[in-house]
Amino acid sequence: MIETIQQLRTVIEQDLAMIHDAASLETFRLKHLVKKGTLQELVDQLRTIPKEEKPAIGKVLNELRQFVESSIASAKESIEHQHSGIETIDVTLPGLLPAIGHVHPIRQTLDRIVDIFAGMGFSVAEGIDIEDDYHNYEALNFPADHPARDMQDTFFIDDAAGDVMLRSHTSPVQIRMMKYHAPPIRSIMPGRVYRNEAVTARSLAEFHQVEGLYIDKGVTFADLKGTITSFAKQMYGESLIFKFRPSYFPFTEPSAEVDINCYLCSGKGCKVCKHSGWLEICGCGMVHPNVLRNCGIDPDIYSGFAFGFGIERVTMLATGIDDIRALYENDMRVLRQF
Ligand code: DAH
């Protein structure tokens, strides 16, 4: 009898290995565990064996029944797991792609600007965000009470002397370049600038500029025009329509601003260009002799030009984004397009 029980156990173990879904589990249960199943058949045979052997055999049979019951329970559990997807790995499925970032449009524009000017022999220099009155204004030929200071809406830092500020433009980097490097100097100076301006579709309180400076013997306004023209055509295309317009900056004389045909209305006049048909892209001029002198450069020997423009503005023109705030909101639907 013991031998028969052991044979049944072997069969049961083989059958267990065949269970892989609910249907095969049910087949197994019907074969072994129901009233007419194999186990019950052996229990029925107990009646025919001598009384003294019954307890020992009954015990073995009981163990086998417990084994079958617990095997069914664990098979059932693993089938349910499979269905819930836990711990099932389908190695044939394509993997999850990691999200790949890309360069922000403002940085892309700056990289392009640096590329273009590097091609014309300009190096790149950086200044500091917290400036003093001397570098941000005085050395740039803004006298203490000059109204041009007003246009810069400066954020002053609360210190005793009242002459520390967040730089309102990148022009102070010109001063540092001329003070610490002997001419010839040919550099662009990108960086963040700060102004107490309302945040609107056209302006922010924190934005970026690129300053340019070229100092050498015999530099003329023709060099300035040639450099800016070459830059603008490489940046916006050969067919670009633009003009130089006389302007005023304390640190350049003569001074000019460069306007390009509005990209939205092609010069017909619209909201973006304030119905003028033109968009201002850059301030520039010949470095004022006072500024050269302030930096220890003799204006009778050296001359030079400077220019400055906003990177956000260039980015907007290049991408067609018409609200400057969109460049800072980090909305992936916007950023993914560029
Ligand atoms: N610093 C000026 C501003 O923020 C821009 C500028 C104009 C820079 C003319 C220059 C320049 O170097 O020559 O308004």
Side-chain angles (χ1 to χ4, degrees):
M1 179 82 186
I2 291 279
E3 223 172 273
T4 320
I5 296 172
Q6 244 133 32
Q7 278 168 5
L8 178 60
R9 190 178 175 111
T10 311
V11 172
I12 284 173
E13 277 168 358
Q14 285 167 358
D15 288 352
L16 268 176
M18 309 296 285
I19 297 175
H20 52 85
D21 58 11
S24 49
L25 176 64
E26 185 59 3
T27 311
F28 176 88
R29 195 184 67 85
L30 292 174
K31 181 170 172 188
H32 299 295
L33 210 61
V34 292
K35 271 219 167 98
K36 290 200 169 119
T38 54
L39 268 170
Q40 192 56 40
E41 210 175 291
L42 290 188
V43 173
D44 293 342
Q45 283 178 27
L46 271 182
R47 267 183 269 131
T48 63
I49 57 168
K51 217 175 171 187
E52 330 69 78
E53 289 177 26
K54 266 188 190 169
I57 294 177
K59 192 172 167 241
V60 179
L61 253 182
N62 225 359
E63 278 167 10
L64 184 57
R65 172 185 289 277
Q66 276 166 13
F67 170 68
V68 171
E69 280 170 352
S70 69
S71 298
I72 286 185
S74 63
K76 199 171 165 192
E77 201 177 308
S78 79
I79 289 166
E80 276 163 9
H81 249 149
Q82 271 175 28
H83 282 284
S84 64
I86 298 167
E87 288 195 21
T88 46
I89 297 170
D90 182 348
V91 292
T92 64
L93 285 174
L96 291 176
L97 287 179
I100 298 173
H102 72 287
V103 179
H104 189 278
I106 291 179
R107 188 75 220 185
Q108 286 182 38
T109 308
L110 177 56
D111 289 347
R112 177 85 187 111
I113 292 169
V114 168
D115 258 9
I116 294 173
F117 280 106
M120 293 193 272
F122 283 74
S123 65
V124 179
E126 277 179 22
I128 49 178
D129 288 24
I130 298 175
E131 272 294 4
D132 54 17
D133 187 277
Y134 179 77
H135 291 90
N136 198 76
Y137 287 131
E138 209 179 309
L140 285 162
N141 205 32
F142 287 83
D145 53 359
H146 198 283
R149 288 188 176 213
D150 241 21
M151 288 161 53
Q152 303 250 340
D153 296 312
T154 312
F155 283 117
F156 286 91
I157 289 171
D158 206 4
D159 76 315
D163 74 344
V164 181
M165 62 199 72
L166 292 173
R167 66 177 175 195
S168 59
H169 52 173
T170 43
S171 300
V173 194
Q174 280 187 38
I175 301 298
R176 294 180 183 277
M177 277 306 285
M178 288 189 275
K179 267 170 81 174
Y180 302 117
H181 298 270
I185 298 168
R186 191 156 44 175
S187 283
I188 56 168
M189 295 147 264
R192 204 180 284 256
V193 299
Y194 309 84
R195 288 189 193 181
N196 186 12
E197 281 189 25
V199 174
T200 67
R202 294 169 62 95
S203 63
L204 296 169
E206 196 182 320
F207 53 103
H208 296 81
Q209 288 185 338
V210 179
E211 194 77 14
L213 181 68
Y214 181 23
I215 307 284
D216 204 349
K217 289 176 184 157
V219 178
T220 67
F221 200 90
D223 295 312
L224 165 59
K225 272 188 94 171
T227 305
I228 302 279
T229 303
S230 173
F231 164 72
K233 288 198 166 175
Q234 288 181 69
M235 192 77 207
Y236 301 107
E238 275 297 317
S239 56
L240 179 75
I241 300 171
F242 65 99
K243 64 180 181 191
F244 283 76
R245 168 170 54 79
S247 186
Y248 172 79
F249 301 102
F251 41 92
T252 46
E253 182 60 37
S255 304
E257 276 174 275
V258 182
D259 294 342
I260 66 171
N261 227 6
C262 177
Y263 66 95
L264 262 191
C265 62
S266 311
K268 289 187 202 76
C270 70
K271 204 174 77 202
V272 170
C273 61
K274 290 189 186 158
H275 303 283
S276 70
W278 295 96
L279 292 167
E280 173 201 319
I281 58 157
C282 164
C284 57
M286 300 307 291
V287 179
H288 197 291
N290 286 350
V291 175
L292 291 174
R293 249 180 248 119
N294 288 339
C295 301
I297 294 174
D298 185 345
D300 292 329
I301 302 174
Y302 291 103
S303 59
F305 65 76
F307 56 86
F309 50 84
I311 304 181
E312 281 78 1
R313 171 53 78 89
V314 179
T315 308
M316 289 166 78
L317 296 176
T319 57
I321 291 176
D322 64 358
D323 188 325
I324 196 168
R325 292 167 293 196
L327 291 171
Y328 284 87
E329 281 163 355
N330 288 334
D331 184 334
M332 291 309 288
R333 291 168 302 180
V334 175
L335 297 182
R336 270 201 206 103
Q337 298 175 50
F338 306 103

